[in-house]
Amino acid sequence: CLPPESKKSLAGIYSLREEIRTEQRNPQILFYMFFSSSDMNFPCEVDLEEQCPVCGDKVSGYHYGILTCESCKGFFKRTVQNNKTYVCVENQQCKIDTSKRKRCPFCRFQKCLNVGMRLEAVRADRMRGGRNKFGPMYKHDRALKQQKKALIQARRLRIESNQKDVTFTSNIHSIAILHNTKLNPNQLPSQPCNSPAVLQHQITSPTNWAMKLENCSNSVELAALAEAIIGPHHTSSRSISTQSPRIPQLEIEFLHCDPHDLQLQKNIFSCLQQEQACRHREPSTFSSVYVMADQLLCSIVEWARTSIFFKELKVSDQMKLLHSCWSELLVLEIISRQVLYGTDGGLLLISGQQGELSYVASHAGPTLVSLNQRGTELVEKFRMLKVDHQEFACIRFLILFAPDVKELEEHRFVESVQQQVEGALLKYTLASSSQSCNRFTCLQLYLSELHSLSILAEDYLYYKHLSGEVPCNNLLNEMLHAKCCWT
DNA sequence: GGTCAAGGCCAT
DNA sequence: ATGGCCTTGACC
């Protein structure tokens, strides 16, 4: 009795096609359009200790558009106010740090401009005190930094939660409420300035966007650039259109990688027919659900194998990652379907059929009832947050690229992809959410809940697997069978 | 009234 | 000329 698809084991799926290995990989490239490297990498809290982007000295606050030290603030002010002209005696590429910053004012001023200090923030009338038009920009930047801190906090919580394997109780109200002010490039003053030092900058500095982005070392400047390129964000709409210019390129790639539902449903019906033909009777409700889960799992593996970044990994690493996260991806797929397409009180099956949650609650055993209840609660949380298609696409990748999986050969690559996906998601939530400013943190917390739910689901299926109450010859069985070997 | 990013002052 | 500290004043 063979199922319609012959690729019923993970090894089988991998042996079906010849692996095309691409040695040239550069996941960073997609991000250069919207993110600077400093905006993307936040491996530890030390990175948040601010250093002056010009000389590396201790930052004393926002000055002329960015966070700088007191001395560079004074230097920039004197240069602009007094129309200074400097000459570099070297090749205009002097290194500027705390010890050398006095040596070449030409290169120091160049660096000031390159990192984003604004000429127009120096007042022509020399009026003291008050506030300038950069206020919202500073606020925006602070919100971004707060989000980064929250991200680190959430990541730590998630790691702790995963290690202890305890049920996660979220307390999202304890996370600082963040401001999310919008930056309008039209509000930025852009007076022409004819100071010699400024003209010298205009002549010598790179003007194309790519170079400007590479030079961009602070998020205020980056936000201004990004908005100048893609236009101000529309906070009210959360459309799915992949044409929308505000969706970072990488997320468009993710959306294109979605599993194909129609093929999946076709496979499910074929499997159910086979099951019926083999056993000469209609499959039980549990068997049907098991077949659906198995086929969904096949489609998830197929999706992963052909996905951006994942297909670049060595096959051994791909298998390790899939063995580690299959149940989480499975639960995520079921939950995201309920959030995006389901109805209250309903259970949207993978086959496209609609069930009732109350039926499950009244006919299932205690474990399944508990699973059902926790799953429903999580669906409700995602719905409250109005999590959209793009965000689920990112979450799928976050789960798949888990650098904490043991003995990964390409651990650093996996870690780098996860960090970049986190960055993309953070940027998206920050740009598209007007009310829930700690949206990203919420998503991280829900991810922990998803993880603990998947462990429960896996244990339940494992129990069923051991008791032999499940259809044979399928990928789900293989995953459950391998459970003890891989974990 | 507190905050904080402007400009100002002045010892080095 | 530099840079640490002080004063100012719009905005919250």
Side-chain angles (χ1 to χ4, degrees):
Chain A
C1 173
L2 281 172
E5 293 268 326
S6 58
K7 46 176 187 183
K8 280 294 165 183
S9 72
L10 198 57
I13 291 170
Y14 274 93
S15 65
L16 277 177
R17 287 180 202 150
E18 201 183 326
E19 286 302 313
I20 300 164
R21 303 276 301 128
T22 318
E23 287 310 317
Q24 225 180 1
R25 60 174 75 133
N26 188 4
Q28 294 270 355
I29 206 87
L30 288 166
F31 284 82
Y32 282 163
M33 279 302 293
F34 290 91
F35 310 114
S36 70
S37 56
S38 68
D39 206 39
M40 293 301 305
N41 298 324
F42 18 84
C44 59
E45 235 160 338
V46 182
D47 274 14
L48 292 173
E49 288 290 322
E50 295 292 343
Q51 285 187 323
C52 175
V54 181
C55 68
D57 206 350
K58 195 186 161 199
V59 154
S60 69
Y62 285 94
H63 305 295
Y64 309 107
I66 60 165
L67 285 167
T68 74
C69 68
E70 199 61 28
S71 73
C72 288
K73 166 200 154 187
F75 169 77
F76 189 78
K77 180 186 69 177
R78 285 192 301 273
T79 303
V80 179
Q81 279 182 341
N82 304 326
N83 288 339
K84 300 269 188 191
T85 317
Y86 306 121
V87 177
C88 176
V89 293
E90 299 287 325
N91 57 355
Q92 302 187 349
Q93 288 177 340
C94 304
K95 194 180 175 221
I96 306 295
D97 58 31
T98 42
S99 59
K100 300 186 195 78
R101 66 189 176 196
K102 286 185 191 174
R103 285 186 199 168
C104 181
F106 176 94
C107 291
R108 190 182 187 183
F109 188 65
Q110 285 294 300
K111 201 168 175 190
C112 285
L113 293 168
N114 282 339
V115 298
M117 291 182 84
R118 302 293 186 111
L119 299 160
E120 56 272 33
V122 179
R123 294 172 186 166
D125 58 5
R126 297 202 168 197
M127 198 192 76
R128 300 174 77 184
R131 285 273 183 273
N132 64 13
K133 292 171 185 173
F134 292 91
M137 242 169 70
Y138 299 145
K139 210 172 169 182
H140 183 91
D141 195 49
R142 281 206 179 89
L144 239 135
K145 288 183 200 308
Q146 285 269 35
Q147 286 277 25
K148 283 183 186 177
K149 277 184 186 167
L151 158 67
I152 288 161
Q153 215 175 8
R155 188 187 283 171
R156 192 178 297 139
L157 280 170
R158 206 173 83 205
I159 290 165
E160 279 170 14
S161 155
N162 289 357
Q163 280 170 346
K164 290 174 189 166
D165 191 22
V166 291
T167 306
F168 200 91
T169 313
S170 65
N171 183 8
I172 53 176
H173 300 293
S174 66
I175 311 269
I177 308 261
L178 305 169
H179 303 288
N180 187 19
T181 52
K182 293 293 153 195
L183 177 67
N184 182 357
N186 299 327
Q187 288 172 348
L188 301 179
S190 56
Q191 309 156 355
C193 185
N194 296 321
S195 128
V198 176
L199 287 173
Q200 149 204 312
H201 167 72
Q202 285 165 350
I203 294 161
T204 57
S205 70
T207 49
N208 65 67
W209 287 116
M211 287 193 78
K212 194 122 199 201
L213 275 171
E214 279 180 12
N215 287 332
C216 224
S217 64
N218 72 89
S219 44
V220 171
E221 174 77 353
L222 186 77
L225 275 174
E227 293 221 355
I229 298 165
I230 65 175
H233 301 301
H234 305 289
T235 53
S236 57
S237 72
R238 300 181 64 76
S239 74
I240 295 174
S241 166
T242 53
Q243 300 301 313
S244 168
R246 71 191 176 82
I247 303 171
Q249 189 61 41
L250 190 69
E251 288 184 48
I252 296 171
E253 292 276 354
F254 291 167
L255 288 170
H256 287 163
C257 299
D258 270 1
H260 301 293
D261 278 7
L262 283 175
Q263 185 58 47
L264 173 61
Q265 287 172 9
K266 218 174 110 183
N267 291 348
I268 288 170
F269 286 117
S270 301
C271 281
L272 288 173
Q273 277 175 346
Q274 289 278 348
E275 186 73 13
Q276 190 169 359
C278 283
R279 294 179 191 268
H280 305 292
R281 60 182 160 85
E282 220 173 284
S284 65
T285 309
F286 177 78
S287 293
S288 302
V289 170
Y290 199 90
V291 164
M292 288 183 209
D294 172 57
Q295 282 304 308
L296 183 60
L297 188 58
C298 288
S299 81
I300 288 169
V301 170
E302 202 51 43
W303 156 78
R305 288 184 69 254
T306 52
S307 280
I308 183 167
F309 303 151
F310 195 80
K311 64 183 172 192
E312 311 295 341
L313 280 167
K314 285 182 181 167
V315 171
S316 57
D317 277 358
Q318 290 187 11
M319 290 178 77
K320 279 175 198 155
L321 288 175
L322 282 169
H323 269 287
S324 158
C325 73
W326 65 269
S327 63
E328 214 169 333
L329 287 174
L330 200 61
V331 174
L332 177 75
E333 280 308 305
I334 295 165
I335 281 181
S336 65
R337 273 156 210 267
Q338 311 307 316
V339 175
L340 296 171
Y341 314 111
T343 51
D344 273 342
L347 179 65
L348 188 61
L349 301 174
I350 311 303
S351 59
Q353 295 158 305
Q354 182 83 28
E356 274 183 37
L357 284 171
S358 54
Y359 179 86
V360 182
S362 57
H363 287 76
T367 315
L368 200 54
V369 166
S370 163
L371 264 171
N372 187 37
Q373 194 185 337
R374 287 182 59 184
T376 309
E377 281 166 13
L378 194 51
V379 166
E380 204 44 52
K381 285 176 183 170
F382 278 123
R383 274 194 191 141
M384 290 274 279
L385 211 58
K386 291 193 173 68
V387 176
D388 66 18
H389 207 262
Q390 288 96 312
E391 286 162 329
F392 277 123
C394 280
I395 291 172
R396 207 180 285 143
F397 273 82
L398 276 184
I399 293 170
L400 185 60
F401 284 87
D404 48 339
V405 168
K406 285 174 197 165
E407 290 163 22
L408 282 176
E409 283 180 63
E410 300 178 275
H411 172 266
R412 289 186 74 176
F413 176 67
V414 173
E415 194 171 48
S416 129
V417 172
Q418 197 202 42
Q419 280 182 9
Q420 291 182 64
V421 177
E422 268 180 342
L425 182 60
L426 169 63
K427 198 85 184 175
Y428 180 74
T429 53
L430 196 66
S432 61
S433 166
S434 58
Q435 296 144 9
S436 315
C437 299
N438 52 1
R439 180 181 189 83
F440 179 78
T441 314
C442 288
L443 288 177
Q444 290 265 332
L445 296 178
Y446 297 164
L447 215 60
S448 297
E449 294 184 47
L450 186 81
H451 179 76
S452 72
L453 189 61
S454 74
I455 290 171
L456 201 67
E458 203 175 306
D459 286 346
Y460 172 74
L461 289 170
Y462 190 57
Y463 165 76
K464 287 284 189 185
H465 169 74
L466 290 179
S467 66
E469 296 175 47
V470 296
C472 53
N473 280 330
N474 57 55
L475 180 61
L476 190 51
N477 278 349
E478 190 213 303
M479 290 301 210
L480 290 166
H481 189 69
K483 192 173 150 72
C484 51
C485 313
W486 287 85
T487 53

